[in-house]
Amino acid sequence: MKKILNLTIVFLLMVGYHFKSVAQNVVESYDPIKNDSLRIGKEEKDFLPFIAKGYTLMLPKNQEVNGVLIFLEDSGYDKKNKNSKQIYDQASAKGFAVISVSTSIPFDFYFSKSSILSTHNLLQEVFIEHTLPNKNIYFIGAGLVGHRAMKYIEFIQAGDYDFTLNLKGLVICNLTMDWTRKWHQHKRDIRINRINLWEPRFINFMLETHMKGTPDTAPEAYHDFSSYSYSDDKNRNIGFYKDYAVRVYIEPAIKYRLKKYFRTLYENNSTDMVGFLAELELVGNENTELIVLYPENNLTQEKNTQSTWNAIDKNNLMDWIYAHTKK
């Protein structure tokens, strides 16, 4: 009896694996990695090697593609598509393809036009080569992945390009929008010196280098780079998002950040994202939704961008996306 049970389990595992493998078709296309590195700080050792530029495409097999989800992920430091893979099954069940695109720049903030154009050209290539339908397009991203999506949308809308995506909506999770606020957060981190300062020093160095100053000396540059900024009276970039369905996920984790990082309410990505939604509603976008993750929704000990994305109900998210294709 035990032998029969073991064989049954093995058979079921094989069947499950078989069905998963035939339900999806994954294509990868990446260039060789450049033998070069990027300066990320003032010290002699402050360099990061370049990563692989290219894309991964998940296609649902044996059914028509109803839409496309796009993640602007990092091929190296995000462990290649680790976030997009979490929604492959749900997307495939609804007939959605999933694209993950990476430039060669590690931790790319899209400071340069060349990074955004590189992404744009890769997206054009994958849509044409794989004859993907240019409909029901959604950008999705947590942290820096979401920031890249927003900078891409702003850049492409402000330009004139032969190829444009028929974007339907945007899903963003636990990300920085206000880079003036972020710079001050990191300045405080460095001043009080109570946590690991690698990230505060790295991000502030990159901001000061590419903004050509601090928020005090180059405020307009920081406002231009921020999709939303509380200190920007114009909120100049809000209009880029007024016609899209927007879903925002936040996990304030106030007590956790207070105890671990000595952070105030101002030093929280949730502050940016709620402010962003308020400004969207002011310009007439009635198709927004805020999802707040509370401690009971995420039982992990660590509270960061990745753990927030991991805790999101992907079935519910895909149902929301699919429902908007009918509108």
Side-chain angles (χ1 to χ4, degrees), residues 74-94:
D74 185 315
S75 70
Y77 300 91
D78 286 344
K79 298 180 181 176
K80 195 181 279 188
N81 320 322
K82 69 180 178 183
N83 285 349
S84 55
K85 285 176 181 176
Q86 290 188 29
I87 205 168
Y88 275 7
D89 289 341
Q90 295 87 345
S92 185
K94 300 289 190 184

Side-chain angles (χ1 to χ4, degrees), residues 136-138 166-170 243-245 324-327:
N136 296 327
I137 312 297
Y138 291 81
N166 185 17
L167 185 61
K168 189 92 171 181
L170 173 70
D243 297 323
Y244 302 135
H324 278 82
T325 66
K326 308 300 182 184
K327 294 182 178 180

